[in-house]
Amino acid sequence: MDPVSNPYTPNAGARPDVLVGRDDQLASFDILLKRLARGRSEQSMIITGLRGVGKTVLLGQFRDKALAADWAVVELEVSKHDDAAFRQETALKLRAALLQLAPRARWTDRFHRAAAALGSFTVTVDPSGQIQAGLNVDVIEGLADHGDLVMDLTDVLVAIGEAAQDRQRGVVMLFDEVQFLTKAQLEALIIALHKTVQRGLPVTFVGAGLPQMAELAGDAKSYAERLFKFPIIGSLDEDDARRALREPAVVEGVDFDAAALDRAFEVTGGYPYFIQELGYAVWGVAETAPITRDDIDAAVDLYEAKLDSSFFRVRLDRTSELQRAYLRAMAQLGAEPQKAADVASLLDRESTQLGPTRAELIDMGLLYTPQHGYAAFTVPHFDRFMLRAVPTLTVPPVRRRRPTGGTW
């Protein structure tokens, strides 16, 4: 097949030519914006799911819908930042939203107040001891200058919401990788959003993160379960998976036979990113249409090699020897969530000894805890990759610490 006309898009966050299986989430977002535009409240959303299920793609769709509805959009991919860096990055994004709502020449008093709040929110002290406001606006004493992230972010979002209300518009915050927010940052965001709900302001938030986000939000603030909806997205059902693979090819004048579609679903499990990777691979292997089961089988090695060298490998390369052994032991036990005690038994350790390792892997975003005492991979088919990449489970020796002030 002509590589230039290959219709598949195996890139992080790239919108596929045919988006299927996400109608419920798109409809919920439409309702969210329309209710807020009418002055009614509606729960914000945090979309959760494994890697590669299309959370970032959905955020991109939400962005397009918000812009079409004349809302200002704040997009942020969360990184592990301290509070000062979080303040700076968030404020710069919100400042851009303020300018989307109205150019500076048309600012009302409420816009000037919102800009002042943003200025105070990012006040820093330079090496000479001089106080600097990073946004070049006059600050207002007592507004977003408390030195407390919760109070300051609340002042900022309320002020921006009031400015948006002045223009009969709204602001939607689209945050990706929200599991990397610290507990303090997540708590501040939840409390600030809660205040905008209480004031009836047109500000909303849609986040995307790994499956542990509902638990993290609840830990940060108990009423988060009432402030947010937590839609879970996963693999596509068989009909939608077939459409996701077949329909982009049909546009290019190429079809799949039924056996090929059956085999593709077996290989990918219906995971959206994997469908894109397999489609891309088979397009380069197949010589004639329709694409057959034999073409799918011929493409599997290329498909797995691409996933192994990029999607999977970049995650494994960040791990230590003991962390890799933990992941390999989990893979040996199976794809489903595994008890910490069972993993420890395979590694000839006590669960308490491996507790820090497990916690590190959760913090790195490689594992999550679907229930107490269990852990699961955040990446679909990661168990298969581990068995390919590390054929033999090797148990690292226990490292004993030298006694302080003494000898062995």
Side-chain angles (χ1 to χ4, degrees):
M1 303 293 178
D2 180 5
V4 175
S5 61
N6 193 324
Y8 301 100
T9 57
N11 293 302
R15 186 188 186 281
D17 283 7
V18 177
L19 182 65
V20 298
R22 305 299 182 232
D23 292 345
D24 288 348
Q25 292 77 34
L26 294 170
S28 292
F29 186 75
D30 285 336
I31 291 169
L32 170 62
L33 294 191
K34 289 175 181 178
R35 284 184 61 83
L36 289 179
R38 296 182 65 176
R40 293 178 174 167
S41 68
E42 183 67 15
Q43 290 170 302
S44 294
M45 290 192 288
I46 297 181
I47 299 165
T48 67
L50 302 181
R51 298 287 186 192
V53 296
K55 300 185 297 296
T56 303
V57 170
L58 260 183
L59 289 184
Q61 291 295 103
F62 294 161
R63 173 187 179 274
D64 293 345
K65 285 179 171 291
L67 292 175
D70 204 26
W71 281 55
V73 175
V74 178
E75 294 183 281
L76 178 65
E77 182 175 334
V78 177
S79 300
K80 291 183 178 181
H81 287 323
D82 61 21
D83 288 351
F86 173 74
R87 281 174 177 262
Q88 187 71 24
E89 187 171 12
T90 303
L92 289 173
K93 298 286 187 178
L94 289 169
R95 178 180 183 270
L98 201 61
L99 292 169
Q100 289 178 48
L101 291 169
R104 191 185 294 265
R106 298 179 186 172
W107 280 5
T108 63
D109 288 345
R110 281 187 165 184
F111 275 82
H112 284 288
R113 180 177 175 81
L118 285 169
S120 295
F121 191 63
T122 55
V123 164
T124 59
V125 179
D126 69 18
S128 67
Q130 296 295 312
I131 296 177
Q132 297 183 339
L135 298 176
N136 300 318
V137 293
D138 294 331
V139 299
I140 298 174
E141 188 174 356
L143 180 67
D145 62 358
H146 312 287
D148 176 88
L149 184 59
V150 170
M151 297 174 69
D152 293 346
L153 186 58
T154 299
D155 283 352
V156 167
L157 290 193
V158 167
I160 288 176
E162 290 173 344
Q165 199 172 51
D166 249 12
R167 299 286 297 183
Q168 297 184 323
R169 296 177 64 190
V171 177
V172 58
M173 303 168 68
L174 303 175
F175 281 26
D176 204 358
E177 303 287 3
V178 288
Q179 72 275 356
F180 291 134
L181 291 168
T182 67
K183 184 175 181 178
Q185 292 161 5
L186 184 57
E187 180 184 25
L189 187 59
I190 290 170
I191 293 173
L193 287 167
H194 190 212
K195 185 60 68 175
T196 66
V197 171
Q198 292 174 323
R199 300 280 181 89
L201 298 174
V203 176
T204 192
F205 174 89
V206 179
L210 294 176
Q212 65 264 35
M213 271 314 303
E215 180 182 357
L216 293 176
D219 289 345
K221 209 65 187 172
S222 60
Y223 56 72
E225 63 184 24
R226 287 170 284 149
L227 189 64
F228 296 103
K229 294 177 181 177
F230 293 94
I232 300 170
I233 63 172
S235 59
L236 302 174
D237 64 30
E238 190 164 357
D239 287 343
D240 282 338
R242 285 169 171 266
R243 288 182 56 206
L245 185 63
R246 179 177 177 269
E247 290 183 12
V250 169
V251 172
E252 297 295 334
V254 176
D255 208 343
F256 289 75
D257 67 26
L261 294 173
D262 290 344
R263 178 60 176 145
F265 186 73
E266 290 175 9
V267 171
T268 64
Y271 284 100
Y273 182 77
F274 294 170
I275 290 170
Q276 297 302 310
E277 282 286 13
L278 182 61
Y280 192 89
V282 78
W283 192 268
V285 168
E287 296 180 351
T288 59
I291 293 172
T292 67
R293 182 187 180 97
D294 288 343
D295 293 324
I296 298 290
D297 286 336
V300 167
D301 285 346
L302 177 60
Y303 156 80
E304 288 185 345
K306 175 69 183 302
L307 289 174
D308 288 358
S309 65
S310 56
F311 185 74
F312 293 130
R313 176 60 63 179
V314 294
R315 291 166 171 82
L316 185 63
D317 285 348
R318 296 186 289 125
T319 59
S320 67
E321 182 184 15
L322 184 55
Q323 289 168 348
R324 282 193 296 275
Y326 196 99
L327 295 172
R328 177 57 175 76
M330 282 190 59
Q332 185 162 317
L333 291 168
E336 62 276 3
Q338 300 299 334
K339 290 178 65 175
D342 292 341
V343 179
S345 178
L346 265 185
L347 294 173
D348 197 24
R349 301 282 206 282
E350 298 294 329
S351 293
T352 51
Q353 291 176 292
L354 291 172
T357 301
R358 182 172 176 269
E360 290 161 2
L361 290 167
I362 292 170
D363 187 56
M364 294 166 68
L366 291 173
L367 300 179
Y368 73 101
T369 52
Q371 56 183 301
H372 181 69
Y374 285 77
F377 294 117
T378 60
V379 181
H381 296 183
F382 199 75
D383 58 310
R384 303 181 191 179
F385 163 70
M386 287 302 303
L387 296 176
R388 293 194 297 268
V390 188
T392 303
L393 173 60
T394 302
V395 181
V398 177
R399 294 183 178 179
R400 299 171 59 192
R401 294 185 177 181
R402 185 184 301 274
T404 303
T407 59
W408 287 105

